[in-house]
Amino acid sequence: MSTCARYTQRVLPDNLLIRKLQDAANAYAQYADKDILIIYSENKNGPFLSYEFYAGKENFQHLAGVKSPKGAVWFFNKCLDLDNPIERCDIVPKADIKTTSSKISVLPEAVNLTKAKAYKIGENDLKAMHCDFDMAIGNINHVIGIDKRNHHLPVPITVMNKSIYEFSSHCFKIFLIMTKEKKSAKYTDIYYEITPNIIQKANLNIFNIQT
């Protein structure tokens, strides 16, 4: 469990909490229940490194600081439901509403990996706030913490309105993000690339990519 300190800031209005959750769920749904491969480096000349994680639907509520009594997958699907949209009473804080609000305030941007050009990735070597995740993805405004749990790959466990540089002393540029189904052997779907045909240009075929 994360041991990150709680936040102290104002609570978002109910309508804004709901809207941000809906926006975040729509962004997260683009890669939910898939394996994700991130290729990163200090610069375009390499060397290139890789990191894989799994973004389960059940992980979404943890990023929002919510513990729904109806279940994690129910909560994620409820955030996507436009016919019977999520209500304020469905947002049950895991710790307290201030912590949950601070997470939700940056959640849509944090989980939108199509904006990876503006994001960095790095190991959580500074262990700020005693946070116990291994890898961080984000920028100066928000960070996603990813850690190995009871899955085949690490999973996202927290989102914070903190700078990635508070957690990582050495951050890298993200050049490529690909996704695949858990049962698939190789990554086939390009989710984000910093420039067209980056796989060929940077000779990234050495990774678990099907071209």
Side-chain angles (χ1 to χ4, degrees):
M1 300 295 291
S2 176
T3 57
C4 296
R6 296 180 179 180
Y7 305 86
T8 55
Q9 69 173 46
R10 69 180 183 86
V11 175
L12 295 175
D14 291 355
N15 65 325
L16 194 52
L17 283 171
I18 291 171
R19 191 178 77 207
K20 282 184 173 286
L21 276 172
Q22 292 172 326
D23 290 345
N26 276 291
Y28 193 83
Q30 302 305 309
Y31 53 83
D33 281 353
K34 292 185 179 181
D35 294 344
I36 299 171
L37 171 69
I38 295 182
I39 305 297
Y40 61 96
S41 177
E42 287 188 303
N43 57 63
K44 64 180 181 180
N45 298 319
F48 291 92
L49 304 171
S50 68
Y51 183 75
E52 294 179 85
F53 69 97
Y54 173 72
K57 292 178 181 178
E58 67 274 16
N59 302 119
F60 180 79
Q61 76 161 3
H62 299 295
L63 304 184
V66 169
K67 189 172 183 179
S68 173
K70 296 183 179 180
V73 175
W74 178 91
F75 180 77
F76 175 69
N77 290 331
K78 189 66 174 177
C79 291
L80 294 172
D81 192 341
L82 297 180
D83 294 326
N84 297 289
I86 188 170
E87 299 179 359
R88 173 61 182 85
C89 60
D90 298 317
I91 306 172
V92 181
K94 182 178 181 181
D96 57 76
I97 189 57
K98 286 186 177 181
T99 304
T100 297
S101 176
S102 68
K103 290 174 179 291
I104 294 174
S105 70
V106 296
L107 192 59
E109 294 77 21
V111 300
N112 187 355
L113 297 182
T114 61
K115 297 182 179 180
K117 187 174 183 178
Y119 297 169
K120 301 285 187 180
I121 183 171
E123 292 185 13
N124 179 21
D125 58 339
L126 299 180
K127 302 296 181 182
M129 300 165 59
H130 305 290
C131 291
D132 58 357
F133 55 83
D134 290 332
M135 191 68 79
I137 299 175
N139 56 24
I140 62 172
N141 298 314
H142 51 72
V143 63
I144 299 178
I146 304 173
D147 195 54
K148 183 67 175 176
R149 297 296 165 95
N150 297 321
H151 290 273
H152 63 295
L153 290 173
V155 295
I157 64 167
T158 189
V159 161
M160 291 174 284
N161 59 346
K162 300 290 183 181
S163 169
I164 188 174
Y165 299 105
E166 294 184 39
F167 302 92
S168 180
S169 63
H170 195 176
C171 296
F172 297 84
K173 193 171 187 177
I174 298 173
F175 282 81
L176 176 71
I177 300 177
M178 297 190 72
T179 65
K180 71 176 182 66
E181 302 296 332
K182 282 199 297 184
K183 62 182 180 180
S184 300
K186 291 184 176 291
Y187 288 89
T188 57
D189 300 322
I190 295 176
Y191 183 80
Y192 162 83
E193 55 183 346
I194 194 168
T195 185
N197 302 313
I198 184 65
I199 296 175
Q200 291 74 27
K201 290 178 181 178
N203 192 26
L204 299 181
N205 297 311
I206 61 172
F207 298 102
N208 193 25
I209 297 173
Q210 181 174 315
T211 57

